[in-house]
Amino acid sequence: MNKVLPHQLSRRERQIMDIIYARGEATVAEVLEAMSDPPSYSSVRALMRILEEKGQLRHTEAGAKYVYKPTESWTAVAKSAIENVVHTFFGGSVESAVATLLANQQMRPTDEELSRLEGLIQQAKSKEQNVPEEGTNE
């Protein structure tokens, strides 16, 4: 089973994954009920089987129904997506990615968010200073 990255999923596959992440787990009927402009039941079932083949979902049996869960946490998927964006569009430069976000007026952080970001930067700096150098026994 080859793992497919979330950005490589179709619109409907991403829609299904969003529903399952929001619920934690879901049957085909529950996904179908939550979809806007849903396709047929058999189409949703087929898409969920494809998502399972792509390594995005796994299922357990609950009576006659399959209950689907994501194979990775939302946090792990989000981290992977961010890493992909930084690598693909910013040549691996976190600084360039953050500078772009800060310059974007539509996504401009609030003063409260900027304060929290400053705290995260200070935390990252202090962790960096506390990392022992290679070859030391600290």
Side-chain angles (χ1 to χ4, degrees):
M1 160 178 62
N2 292 331
K3 191 73 156 176
V4 174
L5 297 174
H7 68 277
Q8 296 171 317
L9 300 177
S10 72
R11 178 183 65 85
R12 282 291 193 195
E13 290 169 340
R14 282 192 311 273
Q15 186 180 25
I16 290 168
M17 291 305 298
D18 288 345
I19 291 165
I20 293 176
Y21 274 117
R23 292 174 172 255
E25 64 181 30
T27 63
V28 172
E30 291 167 337
V31 168
L32 184 66
E33 181 182 300
M35 291 179 94
S36 56
D37 187 30
S40 68
Y41 180 92
S42 61
S43 293
V44 173
R45 186 180 64 219
L47 285 166
M48 291 174 75
R49 181 185 45 76
I50 290 166
L51 285 165
E52 196 167 19
E53 289 170 3
K54 289 182 174 183
Q56 300 296 309
L57 294 176
R58 66 180 186 277
H59 76 269
T60 56
E61 293 183 36
K65 297 179 182 180
Y66 282 4
V67 178
Y68 291 86
K69 295 180 181 182
T71 57
E72 290 187 286
S73 70
W74 178 254
T75 304
V77 171
K79 182 179 180 240
S80 174
I82 290 293
E83 288 170 353
N84 186 56
V85 167
V86 171
H87 175 74
T88 302
F89 294 100
F90 301 99
S93 170
V94 172
E95 178 184 359
S96 293
V98 172
T100 300
L101 287 170
L102 292 174
N104 183 333
Q105 292 303 312
Q106 293 175 337
M107 297 186 74
R108 177 118 175 89
T110 64
D111 288 342
E112 189 177 295
E113 289 172 322
L114 287 170
S115 292
R116 286 195 302 267
L117 287 169
E118 287 172 348
L120 291 171
I121 290 168
Q122 289 306 315
Q123 239 182 345
K125 283 181 176 180
S126 68
K127 283 182 184 175
E128 200 173 278
Q129 292 170 357
N130 293 333
V131 174
E133 291 183 36
E134 271 188 54
T136 64
N137 291 332
E138 289 182 42

